[in-house]
Structures are given as structure tokens and as C-alpha cells.
Amino acid sequence: MPRTIMLIPIGSGVGVTSVSLGMVRALERQGVAVNFFKPIAQPRSGDVGPERSTATLRNASALNPPEPFAMKYAENLISSSRTSELLENIVERFRQGTKESDVIIVEGLVPTDKHQFANEINYSIAKALGAEMVFVTHPNNDTSQQLKERIEIAVSSFGGKNNQRIAGCIINKVGAPSDESEQYRPDLTEMFEGAHDSLNSNLEVLQMFSKSPLPILGCIPWSSELIAPRVVDLATHLHAKILNKGDLNTRRLQRVTFCARSIPNMLEHFKAGSMLVTSGDRSDVIIAACLAVMNGMKIGCLLLTGDYTPEAEVMKLCARAMESGLPILLINSNTWQTAQRLQNFNMEIPVDDIERIEKVQEYIAGHVDKHWLKTLTGDSSLSRRLSPPAFRYHLTELARKNSQRIVLPEGEEPRTIQAALICAQRGIAKPVLLGNPEEIHRVATQQGIVLTDDVEIINPDDVIEDYVAPMVELRKSKGLTEVVAREQLRDTVVLGTMMLAEGEVSGLVSGALNTTANTIRPALQLIKTAPGANLVSSIFFMLLPDQVLVYGDCAINPDPSAEQLADIAIQSADSAIAFGIDPKVAMISYSTGTSGVGSDVDKVREATKIAQQRRPDLLIDGPLQYDAAVMENVAKSKAPDSPVAGKATVFIFPDLNTGNTTYKAVQRSANLISIGPMLQGMRKPVNDLSRGALVDDIVYTIALTAIQATQAMDKAIANV
């Protein structure tokens, strides 16, 4: 029987939509079929498009929530004493739109001056849907006693403490900033340089765990990163003219600085993520900001006021800064008017800001009580597939269990530095950056981040000599000399590989700058294959909207024999199991079953038989065409007796040409995330990155590597 959870906001500004997003993600992490329903749309001032919560989830996930009823329609029925008709319609739409769901998150109305009936109708909807109620609130500047009383008053309107349908409450925005009068500020003012920056720590909220009349199911700290808007959002709000587009759609703003002083007194405020606001005729500020950009400082944008377009000579001097991506905006208001307009900026997440939606979902999901979540999903009877959020969460949770030391040879590369800090902060791994410490800290500062002591930095010049003799010993059969070894160790990938060979780190991740060959060659020479492994192969984890598939081999073996193809299939199935994916292995070919002939399809047919004989415990079938492997309706006609066709989760391609082309075609055409290549068959884990890897790609590859390291250690212990 599906479970329905209704989130009911206690007052305005509690962030109920963000909590809804996080709850959906938290349940996706559990691998359950979750859906969302906002019964009645509640447009904010200025909204002209579809209902915000529903549209946000549609854009950012594979969910297709039912359409909410228009507020005007609901108001008309309520005012004409036809509330029961409204509730019947809500129940009908709810049931039709959420049939295949384990858990449904329902978002209630926010009580406002315009919608004073919100609590009454929320309670009626909860009862009509048979929903368990979770109240959402924020501390504002209440003491724990005041917050307790506020929750009690709210509970009394929903049947009181004895109502068994009240599950608990979630406290959001703990520690949110307040102004001089100690009032909570849901606007951009906390971004203003020099504004009152003391945060209401809400330490008393911690006392709520003993005082609260309800179980506290989540306590979500305030995070300024979650409110960082894109430059394009502020440009739209200000109706700004774009003088230079640059990274308008992707750069985020962490702070706002009004440049009214002389240049020497302003330089300390030129920081990564800053919106620098100055009059358009302040050529000195414009040029100084552009110089900072050309020296690596990733300033958010320049906002020029007064409708003063900079002179052509000034823009020419700034050409290189603009080419690097610096957005430059022009507005006609003065500084005072601009400050007022910024304070009126809507801080809610735009429905098309997928990156920010993802951050909010992951952050809030991480602060919802896990034990309570398990009570929602423990008795689920519907079939489950490992969704991308569930897979990513599974990765990080597995990696955290044994925080492994992972070396990152490209230690001066900006994305790698950011990923190292994230991994250290989240406990995914103990990252080791190889590079010049001064350069690493300089690059970090330009990215607007501060490296903590949890990120280890090793200067290669200080340690190269420690690995010359061990490397000569490892390669003595190849005639390696000390001179050549010392020269090769100047390559940080080789140095990192030697650290791995010597057992000083547990894994290596490279490839943001280096080619696949440069990453893998030292590993093949110095690490070698694992006991019992006949070859090294690779897989990609393909994160489709509603499940994760495994593709192999797409990076290493150009034209494997039937024996090698069987090895790749078995390695890939074992990797799938290790990462929580139920392996149904499809051996891909241009022909299904016995319908085709030729050396290529014969190789796949033979490889299938070998793999089945070696591992009868695995579901392996082939040859199968891709459509027969993945589509149930095609499988019924082409391979009706196959245990794999139409349900495949692991796809083994006949050669590198097919595998690499297919993975890139699927990745780019479907605009989905792929993690890998993850190498299989190595004695110790070494993993390659795409040179176009995003920071998140690097983080999850580090997590994969850490998990592989733990599994390798467990196998070694078991074999002793």
C-alpha cells in the first residue's frame, strides 16, 4: 500500500518547496518509486508560468507529477460551500496520477493574508488522501520555548497531539541570517558586502529535540550556497542590458559589493563570485576588475549603473577579461535605486536552474532522519530499480564507510581541487593533491574556496627521491635505470602510481588533464593485473533518468577475443553487484539469437557460452541487439524466451568501436551523466576521467575508486 506524506507549512517563508524537493530526493536514494503532488497551485507574486513546485520537479527529474488545480478554481468552490467537490476532484487526480508509486509527497498550501483558509483546507486534503502529516517550520528568531509553543498551536488546528496521522516536524533554515533588528531576511541583503553579517545561530533549536511536542524528522541548517543565483537571474530581474554575455548563464553570485571607494581600498573586495556594482563611468574600477580577472580571479560579474556605457578604449583594454567569461551588465538606475531593486530580488529557485535544484535536493535529503525514511519504505511491495540519485547516494555511503587515501596527480587543476575539498568535507575519501602547495592554494583562492587540513598536499619535488629505487626494482626486468626513473617520476601520474604501488595510497584518479593512455600506461607497468584477472577492462555507469545501466568495455580493449569478451562480461557483472545493481547481462551484437551469421556475431555467441559456463550463477544472454536488450515490447518478438531481453542492466559491446560510440551517443543525445571509465582487473584501483569532466564527475569517480580499494582489501583478507 503506498504511503502518502503531506508537508504542511507553519507560516510563510519556511521553504516548503525546498523541503519537498529534498524529501523526493531522500526517497529516491532509497530506490523507491516516489512521486509528488501539489493539490492546489499557489502562484507567487510575479509568477506567470506553471505552478513552481510541480514544474521544478518535472524539469529536474524523471517524475511526472499530476497537475495542480488552479487557485481561482479552488477559491470559487470553497467560497460557494462546495469544498467536498474540490476534495473529490483532488482525490481523483491524485489517484490517477500516482498509481505506480511507493511513496507520494504532497505539498500543502502556505498560510498567507490572501489564503487564510490554508490550514483548514490542508487538513481536509490530508484526511481525504489518508496522508501522514509533517509540519515544516523555521526558527525565525524564536527561542526553543517559543518555537515549541508555535508548533503546539499549529498541531491543535490539525487534531491535536493525539492525532496518529501527525508524524512529526521538519525545522528548516536553522541559523539563517538576521538583520540589526534581529528579523529574518529572506532576500539578497545578506550578500551585501559590509552588511550586518552576524548569523542567528539558533543554538536553542537543539533543545527542541527534548522539548518538541512532535518528533523532529529533520533539522536543516541554513546554507548560503543554496541561495547563490546565476548572473542571468539578476540580469533578468534588473532588466539589464548585456554588454558582454560571457558565462552569464552559469556563473553564480556569492556576494554583492558596491565599489564607491578608491581602488586601493576596494581590492580586498575583489573576490570570486562577487557582483561588483559601480557607475559605468568609473573606468578605474572597470579596468582594475578586469585585471583581477586576467590574473585568474573568477569575479561573478560587473554591474554598471547610471546608464553610462564605458568608452570603447576601456572596453578594448578589457577584451581578454571578457573573453575569459566575465559578464558585464548595464542598467539605468543609480546606486541607491540598484540596492533597493536587489533587495526585491526573488530568492526562490528558478524552475530552469537544474544545478541549484540538484544542490538543494542533495543538501536537504542529507538532513532528513534516515530511520524515519526507512519506516516509509521498509514494507514497499512495488518493484525497485536503482535510480541515479539512489546510485550516487549509495556510492557516497559506501565510500564513507572506509575513508580511503586517494591520490590526485593533477593537484593544481581547478576542478580537481574543488572535488578534493568536497570529498574531504563529506568524508568520501582522504584526498592527496600532488603539486606545488603555493600554486594549489592560489588556484583555490581564485575559485573562491579555502582548503582545509583534511586535504593533503604533497610537493612532488620533496618526495621523488623516495620512489626512485622502488621503481627501478619494479622495472628491473625492463632495464630501467635510476636516471630514467627519476625523469619519469617528474610526471605526477607516474609518481602517484608509485605511491599506489608502495601502498601509501589506496587508489588513483587522473584524466582531467591527461589522456587515458597517460593515466593507464603507468598503472599497467607498475600495478599490474589482479590475481586471477586475465585482462584489464572498463565500464561506464550510465545514469538514465530512472535507472542506472552498466556499459562495458568502452575504453580499453579494441577488439577482444571471445575469451576476453567473456572475461569482460563477468568482470562487469561482478562490478554491477558490488555497486548495488542487479546484473542482467546482455551480450550486444547486430543480430539477436540465431538470426544472424558472420564472424562478428559468432564471436559474441561463443563469448556468451563461455561466460555462461564459467558463471552459471549470473543471468547472461546473447547475442542480443540493443533494442531487444532494453525494450520489453521488442524483446517479446525477437527473444521471447530470454531471461535478459527487455530487462538488461549490463551491456557488453563486441568491440571498442561499438562500445565507445554507443556510450557517447547515448550520453550526448540523452544529455545524461556517465561515471567512468572505471577500470576492472587491476591489482589496485586506478581510474580515468574525461578531460571535460565536471567537478561532480570527479567526486563520484573518487568515490568509486575508494569503494574499489575497500573491496580489494576485503578480497585480500578473505584469501589469506
Side-chain angles (χ1 to χ4, degrees):
M1 184 72 180
R3 297 278 291 273
T4 304
I5 305 298
M6 185 163 180
L7 300 177
I8 298 174
I10 302 176
S12 60
V14 301
V16 68
T17 296
S18 294
V19 174
S20 296
L21 291 170
M23 280 292 298
V24 168
R25 175 54 50 85
L27 290 161
E28 286 178 328
R29 285 176 169 184
Q30 304 296 318
V32 302
V34 61
N35 210 335
F36 172 83
F37 183 40
K38 174 89 171 182
I40 301 172
Q42 192 172 21
R44 281 71 159 177
S45 175
D47 280 358
V48 292
E51 194 279 318
R52 186 180 290 269
S53 300
T54 305
T56 298
L57 275 161
R58 280 181 180 155
N59 288 346
S61 70
L63 300 184
N64 186 26
E67 279 292 332
F69 288 95
M71 177 60 76
K72 193 67 178 173
Y73 171 78
E75 287 175 331
N76 287 339
L77 290 181
I78 293 168
S79 63
S80 58
S81 300
R82 296 160 61 200
T83 302
S84 58
E85 181 181 338
L86 172 63
L87 293 173
E88 288 171 16
N89 292 339
I90 287 173
V91 170
E92 180 184 11
R93 186 166 293 184
F94 170 81
R95 289 183 176 170
Q96 288 179 349
T98 61
K99 286 179 182 177
E100 302 298 321
S101 304
D102 284 342
V103 183
I104 303 101
I105 301 299
V106 178
E107 184 180 307
L109 291 172
V110 178
T112 64
D113 291 340
K114 286 181 65 178
H115 306 130
Q116 295 185 8
F117 55 81
N119 280 342
E120 185 179 347
I121 197 67
N122 282 340
Y123 191 20
S124 297
I125 291 171
K127 289 189 287 187
L129 299 179
E132 299 165 60
M133 292 174 281
V134 175
F135 297 104
V136 181
T137 187
H138 64 66
N140 204 342
N141 282 286
D142 290 348
T143 65
S144 58
Q145 181 61 31
Q146 290 170 330
L147 182 56
K148 172 180 177 288
E149 291 169 357
R150 188 146 54 89
I151 294 173
E152 286 177 337
I153 292 170
V155 168
S156 67
S157 300
F158 290 83
K161 290 187 233 181
N162 295 326
N163 186 345
Q164 294 183 351
R165 283 285 175 180
I166 297 178
C169 67
I170 292 175
I171 304 176
N172 193 20
K173 300 184 179 180
V174 176
S178 58
D179 59 20
E180 292 88 341
S181 60
E182 308 242 329
Q183 293 300 307
Y184 169 68
R185 280 196 321 259
D187 57 37
L188 258 182
T189 52
E190 64 268 15
M191 291 173 60
F192 288 2
E193 195 75 55
H196 182 68
D197 58 1
S198 65
L199 297 183
N200 170 18
S201 64
N202 293 125
L203 293 177
E204 283 206 358
V205 171
L206 298 177
Q207 298 177 24
M208 283 298 297
F209 286 92
S210 59
K211 285 186 177 182
S212 176
L214 298 175
I216 295 180
L217 307 176
C219 193
I220 304 164
W222 169 265
S223 173
S224 61
E225 288 186 13
L226 302 184
I227 67 164
R230 300 168 298 186
V231 177
V232 66
D233 300 324
L234 275 167
T236 302
H237 170 72
L238 297 169
H239 304 293
K241 179 180 179 182
I242 312 300
L243 297 185
N244 187 60
K245 184 176 180 181
D247 300 331
L248 184 79
N249 295 316
T250 56
R251 287 208 183 181
R252 295 194 177 274
L253 303 172
Q254 302 287 347
R255 60 188 63 82
V256 177
T257 297
F258 288 88
C259 303
R261 287 164 276 177
S262 63
I263 295 299
N265 292 321
M266 287 305 308
L267 292 179
E268 63 178 295
H269 301 286
F270 287 16
K271 299 175 182 177
S274 289
M275 170 188 271
L276 303 182
V277 184
T278 188
S279 175
D281 59 359
R282 284 290 302 272
S283 300
D284 55 340
V285 175
I286 297 169
I287 292 171
C290 289
L291 279 172
V293 170
M294 286 185 280
N295 279 284
M297 182 62 66
K298 198 170 182 179
I299 289 171
C301 77
L302 268 177
L303 177 63
L304 308 181
T305 64
D307 207 19
Y308 297 117
T309 303
E311 297 175 353
E313 291 82 357
V314 173
M315 296 299 282
K316 187 175 180 181
L317 281 173
C318 296
R320 280 185 57 198
M322 292 190 288
E323 289 168 4
S324 74
L326 175 69
I328 301 179
L329 315 177
L330 178 67
I331 56 176
N332 57 17
S333 57
N334 61 32
T335 302
W336 171 254
Q337 293 166 333
T338 302
Q340 294 297 309
R341 291 170 69 185
L342 285 172
Q343 290 192 38
N344 292 327
F345 177 69
N346 186 346
M347 297 301 297
E348 293 184 348
I349 309 170
V351 295
D352 65 340
D353 192 348
I354 306 301
E355 180 187 4
R356 190 170 157 201
I357 294 167
E358 177 75 14
K359 280 186 178 180
V360 168
Q361 285 192 287
E362 286 293 323
Y363 182 80
I364 291 181
H367 289 88
V368 178
D369 186 84
K370 294 177 184 176
H371 300 294
W372 174 61
L373 289 173
K374 287 179 181 177
T375 68
L376 300 181
T377 61
D379 59 353
S380 171
S381 60
L382 297 179
S383 62
R384 302 185 183 190
R385 292 196 292 184
L386 195 64
S387 67
F391 179 71
R392 292 196 298 266
Y393 177 67
H394 186 60
L395 283 186
T396 54
E397 285 296 289
L398 283 176
R400 283 192 191 103
K401 288 181 180 178
N402 295 281
S403 187
Q404 300 284 3
R405 195 165 179 245
I406 306 298
V407 66
L408 307 171
E410 298 157 328
E412 298 173 7
E413 199 277 324
R415 292 164 295 168
T416 302
I417 293 171
Q418 291 183 57
L421 181 60
I422 292 169
C423 287
Q425 290 175 333
R426 294 171 62 184
I428 291 171
K430 297 173 182 174
V432 179
L433 295 173
L434 296 184
N436 183 299
E438 290 183 5
E439 178 63 14
I440 289 172
H441 283 293
R442 186 186 70 81
V443 174
T445 300
Q446 290 175 347
Q447 300 300 308
I449 61 177
V450 178
L451 294 178
T452 64
D453 292 339
D454 295 327
V455 178
E456 185 179 353
I457 300 173
I458 294 178
N459 190 335
D461 293 340
D462 295 340
V463 299
I464 282 177
E465 287 301 321
D466 298 340
Y467 299 99
V468 173
M471 185 170 174
V472 169
E473 178 65 23
L474 281 173
R475 300 283 288 163
K476 62 183 179 182
S477 63
K478 301 296 182 181
L480 184 70
T481 65
E482 286 191 6
V483 173
V484 175
R486 188 174 288 109
E487 185 61 32
Q488 289 183 1
L489 283 165
R490 296 192 181 282
D491 182 338
T492 54
V493 177
V494 176
L495 177 60
T497 307
M498 274 306 303
M499 293 174 67
L500 181 59
E502 291 295 289
E504 295 178 7
V505 294
S506 302
L508 179 147
V509 173
S510 180
L513 295 174
N514 286 280
T515 63
T516 297
N518 287 346
T519 296
I520 295 174
R521 189 186 303 109
L524 294 174
Q525 293 172 345
L526 301 169
I527 303 297
K528 310 292 177 61
T529 57
N534 297 318
L535 83 167
V536 173
S537 65
S538 73
I539 56 170
F540 281 88
F541 294 97
M542 308 295 290
L543 277 60
L544 274 64
D546 60 348
Q547 71 174 129
V548 178
L549 303 179
V550 174
Y551 282 10
D553 175 3
C554 304
I556 304 295
N557 298 284
D559 188 16
S561 65
E563 288 271 348
Q564 291 174 324
L565 203 57
D567 284 337
I568 293 169
I570 292 169
Q571 286 180 344
S572 301
D574 285 339
S575 292
I577 293 169
F579 289 94
I581 298 169
D582 182 21
K584 296 180 177 65
V585 184
M587 308 293 284
I588 300 300
S589 177
Y590 61 77
S591 172
T592 294
T594 58
S595 64
V597 293
S599 59
D600 290 338
V601 73
D602 288 342
K603 179 179 79 170
V604 175
R605 191 173 289 118
E606 183 183 354
T608 303
K609 290 178 182 177
I610 295 170
Q612 289 170 338
Q613 289 168 359
R614 288 185 187 169
R615 291 291 298 275
D617 58 308
L618 295 173
L619 283 179
I620 304 174
D621 197 18
L624 289 170
Q625 290 165 286
Y626 192 94
D627 58 350
V630 77
M631 299 177 67
E632 289 190 23
N633 59 336
V634 177
K636 286 178 182 177
S637 61
K638 289 189 174 183
D641 300 323
S642 171
V644 171
K647 298 172 285 190
T649 57
V650 179
F651 296 74
I652 305 302
F653 297 99
D655 51 52
L656 186 58
N657 183 45
T658 308
N660 192 270
T661 301
T662 303
Y663 116 75
K664 286 186 175 175
V666 173
Q667 180 193 33
R668 300 304 179 188
S669 299
N671 193 28
L672 55 83
I673 296 171
S674 66
I675 299 176
M678 186 186 91
L679 300 192
Q680 308 172 125
M682 294 294 297
R683 189 167 58 89
K684 295 183 178 181
V686 173
N687 283 313
D688 183 36
L689 298 164
S690 164
R691 275 167 283 175
L694 303 175
V695 173
D696 279 352
D697 297 333
I698 302 174
V699 168
Y700 290 119
T701 303
I702 293 171
L704 281 175
T705 308
I707 296 165
Q708 282 183 296
T710 298
Q711 292 166 348
M713 289 179 183
D714 291 344
K715 284 182 182 177
I717 293 170
N719 292 330
V720 172

